[in-house]
Amino acid sequence: MSAFEPRVVSSDDPGVTVWDFMDGENHVRQLMGADQTAGRLSFFESVLAPGVVITAHIHREVDEYWYMLDGGIEVLLGGRQIPVAAGSIVAIPAGTLHELRNAADTSVRSIFFAIPGGLEDFFAGTSDLLASGAKPADFAALFERTGTVFPRNGTA
């Protein structure tokens, strides 16, 4: 017997959670969360507008795997800026400083998953704090709670 129920989830299912950032130009859509996979993984779609940067950060205990549906992303890994073509996968082990930048002049779509699950807590918390006009200390508490570190000047 499996630890979770088998399922099929469509991107446009009404129960899918979507977090919009920057007036909806960027979003993360949660297709499956930790609560649906017995904590094993979380699975997302992402759209990043031109010029958007996901600032250099580290997830202490979460591995991320990004599959690029479109080209144009540049990823900072190991101190190197690497252009990523459509059809490529980026594997980011826990504890790795990484940054994603949309260097294209159009939006870039990707799918990604996180192991173990739970990264949705970071997105939900960030969305809630942005909507509430929270203070920097509130963000710091969220980052600590979700095991996410934003080092100063891109260095750990």
Side-chain angles (χ1 to χ4, degrees):
M1 177 178 226
S2 178
F4 59 91
E5 294 295 318
R7 66 184 66 231
V8 175
V9 178
S10 173
S11 179
D12 58 0
D13 281 352
V16 168
T17 300
V18 180
W19 298 285
D20 286 314
F21 301 99
M22 294 178 56
D23 299 324
E25 291 185 52
N26 304 286
H27 71 262
V28 174
R29 181 181 307 267
Q30 177 187 316
L31 298 177
M32 284 191 188
D35 62 336
Q36 297 167 311
T37 65
R40 292 180 177 158
L41 67 84
S42 298
F43 195 92
F44 307 93
E45 292 178 343
S46 173
V47 174
L48 295 176
V52 166
V53 176
I54 299 174
T55 304
H57 63 285
I58 296 167
H59 300 290
R60 289 188 188 122
E61 298 178 10
V62 173
D63 299 328
E64 286 183 281
Y65 300 86
W66 289 72
Y67 180 78
M68 299 302 162
L69 298 169
D70 301 314
I73 289 290
E74 292 179 353
V75 64
L76 176 69
L77 289 174
R80 293 186 5 218
Q81 197 76 24
I82 304 166
V84 182
S88 298
I89 191 165
V90 178
I92 308 168
T96 302
L97 181 69
H98 60 287
E99 177 177 275
L100 286 88
R101 174 185 313 272
N102 181 352
D105 55 6
T106 60
S107 291
V108 172
R109 300 169 304 132
S110 62
I111 55 175
F112 68 100
F113 62 95
I115 298 174
L119 192 57
E120 59 270 24
D121 295 340
F122 171 80
F123 294 118
T126 300
S127 178
D128 290 347
L129 290 175
L130 288 171
S132 71
K135 298 177 180 156
D138 298 322
F139 285 94
L142 170 69
F143 300 155
E144 180 63 30
R145 187 174 74 250
T146 60
T148 304
V149 179
F150 287 87
R152 295 189 190 281
N153 303 322
T155 58

PDB file of all heavy atoms in Angstrom, residues 59-92:
ATOM      1  N   HIS A  59      18.511  26.765   0.134  1.00  0.00           N
ATOM      2  CA  HIS A  59      17.547  25.984   0.910  1.00  0.00           C
ATOM      3  C   HIS A  59      18.366  24.971   1.702  1.00  0.00           C
ATOM      4  O   HIS A  59      19.080  24.157   1.119  1.00  0.00           O
ATOM      5  CB  HIS A  59      16.554  25.258   0.000  1.00  0.00           C
ATOM      6  CG  HIS A  59      15.754  26.182  -0.856  1.00  0.00           C
ATOM      7  ND1 HIS A  59      14.780  27.016  -0.343  1.00  0.00           N
ATOM      8  CD2 HIS A  59      15.788  26.431  -2.181  1.00  0.00           C
ATOM      9  CE1 HIS A  59      14.251  27.726  -1.327  1.00  0.00           C
ATOM     10  NE2 HIS A  59      14.855  27.388  -2.440  1.00  0.00           N
ATOM     11  N   ARG A  60      18.296  25.051   3.001  1.00  0.00           N
ATOM     12  CA  ARG A  60      19.137  24.199   3.853  1.00  0.00           C
ATOM     13  C   ARG A  60      18.865  22.710   3.667  1.00  0.00           C
ATOM     14  O   ARG A  60      19.792  21.907   3.717  1.00  0.00           O
ATOM     15  CB  ARG A  60      18.935  24.557   5.320  1.00  0.00           C
ATOM     16  CG  ARG A  60      19.511  25.881   5.704  1.00  0.00           C
ATOM     17  CD  ARG A  60      19.443  26.066   7.216  1.00  0.00           C
ATOM     18  NE  ARG A  60      19.832  27.403   7.565  1.00  0.00           N
ATOM     19  CZ  ARG A  60      19.070  28.249   8.234  1.00  0.00           C
ATOM     20  NH1 ARG A  60      17.879  27.887   8.651  1.00  0.00           N
ATOM     21  NH2 ARG A  60      19.507  29.459   8.503  1.00  0.00           N
ATOM     22  N   GLU A  61      17.588  22.339   3.498  1.00  0.00           N
ATOM     23  CA  GLU A  61      17.242  20.910   3.502  1.00  0.00           C
ATOM     24  C   GLU A  61      16.420  20.480   2.299  1.00  0.00           C
ATOM     25  O   GLU A  61      15.880  19.376   2.302  1.00  0.00           O
ATOM     26  CB  GLU A  61      16.493  20.583   4.790  1.00  0.00           C
ATOM     27  CG  GLU A  61      17.351  20.829   6.024  1.00  0.00           C
ATOM     28  CD  GLU A  61      16.620  20.556   7.320  1.00  0.00           C
ATOM     29  OE1 GLU A  61      15.509  20.005   7.292  1.00  0.00           O
ATOM     30  OE2 GLU A  61      17.180  20.898   8.381  1.00  0.00           O
ATOM     31  N   VAL A  62      16.319  21.311   1.275  1.00  0.00           N
ATOM     32  CA  VAL A  62      15.478  21.002   0.124  1.00  0.00           C
ATOM     33  C   VAL A  62      16.320  20.960  -1.152  1.00  0.00           C
ATOM     34  O   VAL A  62      17.052  21.895  -1.442  1.00  0.00           O
ATOM     35  CB  VAL A  62      14.353  22.062  -0.028  1.00  0.00           C
ATOM     36  CG1 VAL A  62      13.565  21.853  -1.309  1.00  0.00           C
ATOM     37  CG2 VAL A  62      13.437  22.045   1.179  1.00  0.00           C
ATOM     38  N   ASP A  63      16.193  19.850  -1.884  1.00  0.00           N
ATOM     39  CA  ASP A  63      16.762  19.756  -3.226  1.00  0.00           C
ATOM     40  C   ASP A  63      15.719  20.275  -4.202  1.00  0.00           C
ATOM     41  O   ASP A  63      14.526  19.974  -4.051  1.00  0.00           O
ATOM     42  CB  ASP A  63      17.068  18.300  -3.603  1.00  0.00           C
ATOM     43  CG  ASP A  63      18.074  17.630  -2.689  1.00  0.00           C
ATOM     44  OD1 ASP A  63      18.965  18.322  -2.175  1.00  0.00           O
ATOM     45  OD2 ASP A  63      17.956  16.403  -2.510  1.00  0.00           O
ATOM     46  N   GLU A  64      16.157  21.050  -5.212  1.00  0.00           N
ATOM     47  CA  GLU A  64      15.246  21.540  -6.253  1.00  0.00           C
ATOM     48  C   GLU A  64      15.685  21.005  -7.604  1.00  0.00           C
ATOM     49  O   GLU A  64      16.879  20.903  -7.876  1.00  0.00           O
ATOM     50  CB  GLU A  64      15.274  23.068  -6.337  1.00  0.00           C
ATOM     51  CG  GLU A  64      14.574  23.780  -5.225  1.00  0.00           C
ATOM     52  CD  GLU A  64      14.600  25.277  -5.439  1.00  0.00           C
ATOM     53  OE1 GLU A  64      15.648  25.895  -5.156  1.00  0.00           O
ATOM     54  OE2 GLU A  64      13.585  25.830  -5.905  1.00  0.00           O
ATOM     55  N   TYR A  65      14.697  20.709  -8.439  1.00  0.00           N
ATOM     56  CA  TYR A  65      14.937  20.260  -9.811  1.00  0.00           C
ATOM     57  C   TYR A  65      14.028  21.071 -10.726  1.00  0.00           C
ATOM     58  O   TYR A  65      12.808  20.999 -10.607  1.00  0.00           O
ATOM     59  CB  TYR A  65      14.634  18.766  -9.954  1.00  0.00           C
ATOM     60  CG  TYR A  65      15.489  17.917  -9.061  1.00  0.00           C
ATOM     61  CD1 TYR A  65      15.106  17.668  -7.743  1.00  0.00           C
ATOM     62  CD2 TYR A  65      16.689  17.392  -9.515  1.00  0.00           C
ATOM     63  CE1 TYR A  65      15.901  16.900  -6.904  1.00  0.00           C
ATOM     64  CE2 TYR A  65      17.489  16.617  -8.691  1.00  0.00           C
ATOM     65  CZ  TYR A  65      17.084  16.380  -7.384  1.00  0.00           C
ATOM     66  OH  TYR A  65      17.875  15.633  -6.555  1.00  0.00           O
ATOM     67  N   TRP A  66      14.628  21.865 -11.607  1.00  0.00           N
ATOM     68  CA  TRP A  66      13.894  22.734 -12.522  1.00  0.00           C
ATOM     69  C   TRP A  66      14.019  22.198 -13.938  1.00  0.00           C
ATOM     70  O   TRP A  66      15.125  21.924 -14.409  1.00  0.00           O
ATOM     71  CB  TRP A  66      14.479  24.147 -12.494  1.00  0.00           C
ATOM     72  CG  TRP A  66      14.225  24.906 -11.242  1.00  0.00           C
ATOM     73  CD1 TRP A  66      14.779  24.695 -10.016  1.00  0.00           C
ATOM     74  CD2 TRP A  66      13.369  26.025 -11.102  1.00  0.00           C
ATOM     75  NE1 TRP A  66      14.315  25.616  -9.112  1.00  0.00           N
ATOM     76  CE2 TRP A  66      13.436  26.461  -9.762  1.00  0.00           C
ATOM     77  CE3 TRP A  66      12.548  26.729 -11.992  1.00  0.00           C
ATOM     78  CZ2 TRP A  66      12.725  27.540  -9.280  1.00  0.00           C
ATOM     79  CZ3 TRP A  66      11.835  27.809 -11.503  1.00  0.00           C
ATOM     80  CH2 TRP A  66      11.927  28.200 -10.167  1.00  0.00           C
ATOM     81  N   TYR A  67      12.890  22.069 -14.649  1.00  0.00           N
ATOM     82  CA  TYR A  67      12.881  21.707 -16.066  1.00  0.00           C
ATOM     83  C   TYR A  67      12.377  22.922 -16.841  1.00  0.00           C
ATOM     84  O   TYR A  67      11.262  23.404 -16.589  1.00  0.00           O
ATOM     85  CB  TYR A  67      11.974  20.498 -16.326  1.00  0.00           C
ATOM     86  CG  TYR A  67      11.947  20.123 -17.778  1.00  0.00           C
ATOM     87  CD1 TYR A  67      13.010  19.405 -18.344  1.00  0.00           C
ATOM     88  CD2 TYR A  67      10.881  20.489 -18.594  1.00  0.00           C
ATOM     89  CE1 TYR A  67      13.003  19.075 -19.689  1.00  0.00           C
ATOM     90  CE2 TYR A  67      10.869  20.162 -19.939  1.00  0.00           C
ATOM     91  CZ  TYR A  67      11.934  19.456 -20.474  1.00  0.00           C
ATOM     92  OH  TYR A  67      11.929  19.127 -21.808  1.00  0.00           O
ATOM     93  N   MET A  68      13.201  23.424 -17.727  1.00  0.00           N
ATOM     94  CA  MET A  68      12.876  24.649 -18.461  1.00  0.00           C
ATOM     95  C   MET A  68      12.059  24.337 -19.715  1.00  0.00           C
ATOM     96  O   MET A  68      12.543  23.647 -20.615  1.00  0.00           O
ATOM     97  CB  MET A  68      14.148  25.399 -18.842  1.00  0.00           C
ATOM     98  CG  MET A  68      14.970  25.840 -17.664  1.00  0.00           C
ATOM     99  SD  MET A  68      14.009  26.899 -16.558  1.00  0.00           S
ATOM    100  CE  MET A  68      14.991  26.811 -15.086  1.00  0.00           C
ATOM    101  N   LEU A  69      10.844  24.830 -19.737  1.00  0.00           N
ATOM    102  CA  LEU A  69       9.991  24.680 -20.917  1.00  0.00           C
ATOM    103  C   LEU A  69      10.386  25.682 -21.995  1.00  0.00           C
ATOM    104  O   LEU A  69      10.214  25.429 -23.183  1.00  0.00           O
ATOM    105  CB  LEU A  69       8.524  24.873 -20.530  1.00  0.00           C
ATOM    106  CG  LEU A  69       7.991  23.852 -19.527  1.00  0.00           C
ATOM    107  CD1 LEU A  69       6.624  24.282 -19.007  1.00  0.00           C
ATOM    108  CD2 LEU A  69       7.926  22.470 -20.151  1.00  0.00           C
ATOM    109  N   ASP A  70      10.909  26.827 -21.566  1.00  0.00           N
ATOM    110  CA  ASP A  70      11.360  27.889 -22.471  1.00  0.00           C
ATOM    111  C   ASP A  70      12.812  28.208 -22.161  1.00  0.00           C
ATOM    112  O   ASP A  70      13.277  27.991 -21.046  1.00  0.00           O
ATOM    113  CB  ASP A  70      10.518  29.162 -22.276  1.00  0.00           C
ATOM    114  CG  ASP A  70       9.040  28.933 -22.514  1.00  0.00           C
ATOM    115  OD1 ASP A  70       8.687  28.293 -23.520  1.00  0.00           O
ATOM    116  OD2 ASP A  70       8.231  29.407 -21.691  1.00  0.00           O
ATOM    117  N   GLY A  71      13.505  28.755 -23.142  1.00  0.00           N
ATOM    118  CA  GLY A  71      14.875  29.204 -22.927  1.00  0.00           C
ATOM    119  C   GLY A  71      14.892  30.625 -22.402  1.00  0.00           C
ATOM    120  O   GLY A  71      13.880  31.329 -22.414  1.00  0.00           O
ATOM    121  N   GLY A  72      16.053  31.052 -21.941  1.00  0.00           N
ATOM    122  CA  GLY A  72      16.216  32.433 -21.501  1.00  0.00           C
ATOM    123  C   GLY A  72      16.625  32.591 -20.065  1.00  0.00           C
ATOM    124  O   GLY A  72      17.004  33.673 -19.635  1.00  0.00           O
ATOM    125  N   ILE A  73      16.559  31.502 -19.297  1.00  0.00           N
ATOM    126  CA  ILE A  73      16.971  31.579 -17.887  1.00  0.00           C
ATOM    127  C   ILE A  73      18.484  31.481 -17.808  1.00  0.00           C
ATOM    128  O   ILE A  73      19.114  30.708 -18.523  1.00  0.00           O
ATOM    129  CB  ILE A  73      16.320  30.443 -17.065  1.00  0.00           C
ATOM    130  CG1 ILE A  73      14.836  30.689 -16.901  1.00  0.00           C
ATOM    131  CG2 ILE A  73      16.996  30.262 -15.704  1.00  0.00           C
ATOM    132  CD1 ILE A  73      14.463  31.839 -15.986  1.00  0.00           C
ATOM    133  N   GLU A  74      19.045  32.278 -16.919  1.00  0.00           N
ATOM    134  CA  GLU A  74      20.440  32.115 -16.525  1.00  0.00           C
ATOM    135  C   GLU A  74      20.424  31.737 -15.054  1.00  0.00           C
ATOM    136  O   GLU A  74      19.691  32.337 -14.262  1.00  0.00           O
ATOM    137  CB  GLU A  74      21.224  33.407 -16.721  1.00  0.00           C
ATOM    138  CG  GLU A  74      21.394  33.782 -18.171  1.00  0.00           C
ATOM    139  CD  GLU A  74      22.157  35.077 -18.357  1.00  0.00           C
ATOM    140  OE1 GLU A  74      22.454  35.772 -17.354  1.00  0.00           O
ATOM    141  OE2 GLU A  74      22.442  35.407 -19.515  1.00  0.00           O
ATOM    142  N   VAL A  75      21.204  30.732 -14.689  1.00  0.00           N
ATOM    143  CA  VAL A  75      21.242  30.286 -13.307  1.00  0.00           C
ATOM    144  C   VAL A  75      22.660  30.471 -12.765  1.00  0.00           C
ATOM    145  O   VAL A  75      23.633  30.213 -13.471  1.00  0.00           O
ATOM    146  CB  VAL A  75      20.756  28.822 -13.173  1.00  0.00           C
ATOM    147  CG1 VAL A  75      21.665  27.852 -13.889  1.00  0.00           C
ATOM    148  CG2 VAL A  75      20.599  28.415 -11.724  1.00  0.00           C
ATOM    149  N   LEU A  76      22.727  30.978 -11.552  1.00  0.00           N
ATOM    150  CA  LEU A  76      23.996  31.114 -10.854  1.00  0.00           C
ATOM    151  C   LEU A  76      24.166  29.877  -9.985  1.00  0.00           C
ATOM    152  O   LEU A  76      23.357  29.631  -9.087  1.00  0.00           O
ATOM    153  CB  LEU A  76      24.005  32.370  -9.988  1.00  0.00           C
ATOM    154  CG  LEU A  76      25.237  32.586  -9.118  1.00  0.00           C
ATOM    155  CD1 LEU A  76      26.448  32.917  -9.993  1.00  0.00           C
ATOM    156  CD2 LEU A  76      24.990  33.698  -8.116  1.00  0.00           C
ATOM    157  N   LEU A  77      25.195  29.088 -10.278  1.00  0.00           N
ATOM    158  CA  LEU A  77      25.511  27.882  -9.517  1.00  0.00           C
ATOM    159  C   LEU A  77      27.013  27.825  -9.324  1.00  0.00           C
ATOM    160  O   LEU A  77      27.761  27.988 -10.296  1.00  0.00           O
ATOM    161  CB  LEU A  77      25.079  26.609 -10.256  1.00  0.00           C
ATOM    162  CG  LEU A  77      23.593  26.315 -10.358  1.00  0.00           C
ATOM    163  CD1 LEU A  77      23.357  25.097 -11.249  1.00  0.00           C
ATOM    164  CD2 LEU A  77      22.991  26.072  -8.992  1.00  0.00           C
ATOM    165  N   GLY A  78      27.450  27.572  -8.112  1.00  0.00           N
ATOM    166  CA  GLY A  78      28.878  27.450  -7.875  1.00  0.00           C
ATOM    167  C   GLY A  78      29.670  28.669  -8.306  1.00  0.00           C
ATOM    168  O   GLY A  78      30.798  28.546  -8.771  1.00  0.00           O
ATOM    169  N   GLY A  79      29.052  29.846  -8.200  1.00  0.00           N
ATOM    170  CA  GLY A  79      29.733  31.081  -8.570  1.00  0.00           C
ATOM    171  C   GLY A  79      29.777  31.342 -10.067  1.00  0.00           C
ATOM    172  O   GLY A  79      30.357  32.332 -10.497  1.00  0.00           O
ATOM    173  N   ARG A  80      29.175  30.470 -10.867  1.00  0.00           N
ATOM    174  CA  ARG A  80      29.163  30.647 -12.329  1.00  0.00           C
ATOM    175  C   ARG A  80      27.760  30.954 -12.825  1.00  0.00           C
ATOM    176  O   ARG A  80      26.791  30.338 -12.394  1.00  0.00           O
ATOM    177  CB  ARG A  80      29.632  29.365 -13.024  1.00  0.00           C
ATOM    178  CG  ARG A  80      31.066  29.035 -12.797  1.00  0.00           C
ATOM    179  CD  ARG A  80      31.521  27.828 -13.618  1.00  0.00           C
ATOM    180  NE  ARG A  80      30.504  27.330 -14.520  1.00  0.00           N
ATOM    181  CZ  ARG A  80      30.293  26.042 -14.779  1.00  0.00           C
ATOM    182  NH1 ARG A  80      31.020  25.126 -14.207  1.00  0.00           N
ATOM    183  NH2 ARG A  80      29.350  25.672 -15.613  1.00  0.00           N
ATOM    184  N   GLN A  81      27.656  31.907 -13.746  1.00  0.00           N
ATOM    185  CA  GLN A  81      26.389  32.230 -14.399  1.00  0.00           C
ATOM    186  C   GLN A  81      26.273  31.322 -15.624  1.00  0.00           C
ATOM    187  O   GLN A  81      27.121  31.364 -16.511  1.00  0.00           O
ATOM    188  CB  GLN A  81      26.384  33.702 -14.812  1.00  0.00           C
ATOM    189  CG  GLN A  81      25.031  34.255 -15.127  1.00  0.00           C
ATOM    190  CD  GLN A  81      24.204  34.525 -13.874  1.00  0.00           C
ATOM    191  OE1 GLN A  81      24.728  34.721 -12.788  1.00  0.00           O
ATOM    192  NE2 GLN A  81      22.909  34.529 -14.021  1.00  0.00           N
ATOM    193  N   ILE A  82      25.230  30.482 -15.676  1.00  0.00           N
ATOM    194  CA  ILE A  82      25.088  29.479 -16.724  1.00  0.00           C
ATOM    195  C   ILE A  82      23.781  29.713 -17.476  1.00  0.00           C
ATOM    196  O   ILE A  82      22.707  29.694 -16.870  1.00  0.00           O
ATOM    197  CB  ILE A  82      25.075  28.063 -16.118  1.00  0.00           C
ATOM    198  CG1 ILE A  82      26.336  27.834 -15.274  1.00  0.00           C
ATOM    199  CG2 ILE A  82      24.932  27.005 -17.208  1.00  0.00           C
ATOM    200  CD1 ILE A  82      26.264  26.615 -14.379  1.00  0.00           C
ATOM    201  N   PRO A  83      23.842  29.932 -18.817  1.00  0.00           N
ATOM    202  CA  PRO A  83      22.608  30.030 -19.591  1.00  0.00           C
ATOM    203  C   PRO A  83      21.959  28.648 -19.709  1.00  0.00           C
ATOM    204  O   PRO A  83      22.651  27.645 -19.883  1.00  0.00           O
ATOM    205  CB  PRO A  83      23.070  30.540 -20.957  1.00  0.00           C
ATOM    206  CG  PRO A  83      24.530  30.304 -21.011  1.00  0.00           C
ATOM    207  CD  PRO A  83      25.036  30.120 -19.617  1.00  0.00           C
ATOM    208  N   VAL A  84      20.630  28.611 -19.579  1.00  0.00           N
ATOM    209  CA  VAL A  84      19.910  27.338 -19.598  1.00  0.00           C
ATOM    210  C   VAL A  84      18.916  27.353 -20.760  1.00  0.00           C
ATOM    211  O   VAL A  84      18.034  28.216 -20.819  1.00  0.00           O
ATOM    212  CB  VAL A  84      19.178  27.098 -18.259  1.00  0.00           C
ATOM    213  CG1 VAL A  84      18.479  25.752 -18.271  1.00  0.00           C
ATOM    214  CG2 VAL A  84      20.145  27.189 -17.090  1.00  0.00           C
ATOM    215  N   ALA A  85      19.056  26.396 -21.653  1.00  0.00           N
ATOM    216  CA  ALA A  85      18.194  26.301 -22.837  1.00  0.00           C
ATOM    217  C   ALA A  85      16.896  25.577 -22.502  1.00  0.00           C
ATOM    218  O   ALA A  85      16.817  24.820 -21.526  1.00  0.00           O
ATOM    219  CB  ALA A  85      18.932  25.545 -23.942  1.00  0.00           C
ATOM    220  N   ALA A  86      15.884  25.794 -23.327  1.00  0.00           N
ATOM    221  CA  ALA A  86      14.637  25.046 -23.207  1.00  0.00           C
ATOM    222  C   ALA A  86      14.957  23.555 -23.301  1.00  0.00           C
ATOM    223  O   ALA A  86      15.858  23.141 -24.039  1.00  0.00           O
ATOM    224  CB  ALA A  86      13.678  25.446 -24.315  1.00  0.00           C
ATOM    225  N   GLY A  87      14.238  22.750 -22.535  1.00  0.00           N
ATOM    226  CA  GLY A  87      14.466  21.312 -22.543  1.00  0.00           C
ATOM    227  C   GLY A  87      15.584  20.869 -21.611  1.00  0.00           C
ATOM    228  O   GLY A  87      15.928  19.701 -21.582  1.00  0.00           O
ATOM    229  N   SER A  88      16.133  21.795 -20.829  1.00  0.00           N
ATOM    230  CA  SER A  88      17.215  21.470 -19.889  1.00  0.00           C
ATOM    231  C   SER A  88      16.663  21.323 -18.480  1.00  0.00           C
ATOM    232  O   SER A  88      15.648  21.924 -18.130  1.00  0.00           O
ATOM    233  CB  SER A  88      18.271  22.573 -19.874  1.00  0.00           C
ATOM    234  OG  SER A  88      18.871  22.723 -21.130  1.00  0.00           O
ATOM    235  N   ILE A  89      17.382  20.550 -17.680  1.00  0.00           N
ATOM    236  CA  ILE A  89      17.036  20.412 -16.270  1.00  0.00           C
ATOM    237  C   ILE A  89      18.189  20.968 -15.442  1.00  0.00           C
ATOM    238  O   ILE A  89      19.355  20.812 -15.798  1.00  0.00           O
ATOM    239  CB  ILE A  89      16.717  18.946 -15.885  1.00  0.00           C
ATOM    240  CG1 ILE A  89      16.114  18.880 -14.490  1.00  0.00           C
ATOM    241  CG2 ILE A  89      17.945  18.061 -16.034  1.00  0.00           C
ATOM    242  CD1 ILE A  89      15.453  17.557 -14.175  1.00  0.00           C
ATOM    243  N   VAL A  90      17.826  21.642 -14.358  1.00  0.00           N
ATOM    244  CA  VAL A  90      18.802  22.199 -13.428  1.00  0.00           C
ATOM    245  C   VAL A  90      18.579  21.503 -12.091  1.00  0.00           C
ATOM    246  O   VAL A  90      17.486  21.577 -11.531  1.00  0.00           O
ATOM    247  CB  VAL A  90      18.630  23.726 -13.273  1.00  0.00           C
ATOM    248  CG1 VAL A  90      19.615  24.278 -12.262  1.00  0.00           C
ATOM    249  CG2 VAL A  90      18.747  24.430 -14.616  1.00  0.00           C
ATOM    250  N   ALA A  91      19.609  20.818 -11.594  1.00  0.00           N
ATOM    251  CA  ALA A  91      19.536  20.132 -10.307  1.00  0.00           C
ATOM    252  C   ALA A  91      20.284  20.962  -9.274  1.00  0.00           C
ATOM    253  O   ALA A  91      21.457  21.295  -9.471  1.00  0.00           O
ATOM    254  CB  ALA A  91      20.151  18.736 -10.417  1.00  0.00           C
ATOM    255  N   ILE A  92      19.594  21.303  -8.186  1.00  0.00           N
ATOM    256  CA  ILE A  92      20.163  22.167  -7.152  1.00  0.00           C
ATOM    257  C   ILE A  92      20.070  21.439  -5.812  1.00  0.00           C
ATOM    258  O   ILE A  92      19.012  21.434  -5.173  1.00  0.00           O
ATOM    259  CB  ILE A  92      19.418  23.516  -7.089  1.00  0.00           C
ATOM    260  CG1 ILE A  92      19.355  24.159  -8.474  1.00  0.00           C
ATOM    261  CG2 ILE A  92      20.084  24.434  -6.066  1.00  0.00           C
ATOM    262  CD1 ILE A  92      18.394  25.333  -8.569  1.00  0.00           C
TER     263      ILE A  92
END
